[in-house]
Amino acid sequence: MRSTMVMFSVLFVVFFILSGCEREEVEEFVPEEPMATEISISIETEDQVLVNGNPMPLGELEPHLQDLAVQDEVIAYVHAAPGVDTEIIDEVEAIIARVDGVEMREEMDLPEMEM
């Protein structure tokens, strides 16, 4: 009985080696659009913004965006705290427009959930 099992095992391995298995070519996944870094810019006061939750003076926003845009394309979502002057919002939008490689988009609309 034991020799029969060994014989079938050996025959199975030999059959598997001789028959081989089909190999399929695997295509590498390359996205059509390059990957982009998404950041959230929240205007808190007239001289301070939050970039992904990290406080930053408004004067440092442009160099920070330029540093990010060197590595990847950047998509910026901008929103302002209540009571922020529209001139400050326009200034932040102008800073974003000046930096090459940074695209400003509106806040994503999430579908409303029914309860």
Side-chain angles (χ1 to χ4, degrees):
M1 180 74 173
R2 188 175 269 186
S3 63
T4 307
M5 289 176 54
V6 171
M7 184 179 73
F8 280 123
S9 299
V10 170
L11 286 175
F12 178 74
V13 170
V14 169
F15 175 75
F16 184 73
I17 291 172
L18 292 177
S19 67
C21 50
E22 293 182 27
R23 297 178 187 230
E24 296 180 18
E25 290 187 28
V26 178
E27 294 180 26
E28 184 177 334
F29 173 73
V30 178
E32 292 178 12
E33 295 181 13
M35 299 298 285
T37 301
E38 293 184 349
I39 61 170
S40 171
I41 300 173
S42 178
I43 306 167
E44 296 297 309
T45 63
E46 61 186 46
D47 60 345
Q48 185 174 13
V49 295
L50 297 177
V51 178
N52 288 341
N54 299 319
M56 176 179 300
L58 186 58
E60 293 180 14
L61 180 61
E62 188 169 357
H64 180 70
L65 291 176
Q66 289 172 342
D67 289 343
L68 289 176
V70 167
Q71 299 168 3
D72 291 324
E73 179 181 337
V74 178
I75 298 173
Y77 296 99
V78 180
H79 46 283
V84 174
D85 192 22
T86 56
E87 292 176 4
I88 303 301
I89 298 170
D90 293 339
E91 183 179 346
V92 170
E93 290 176 351
I95 289 171
I96 294 170
R98 282 194 303 257
V99 179
D100 290 331
V102 178
E103 177 184 341
M104 185 173 59
R105 292 192 185 166
E106 296 294 321
E107 189 67 37
M108 292 186 292
D109 293 326
L110 299 177
E112 294 184 23
M113 297 180 64
E114 295 181 18
M115 295 204 174

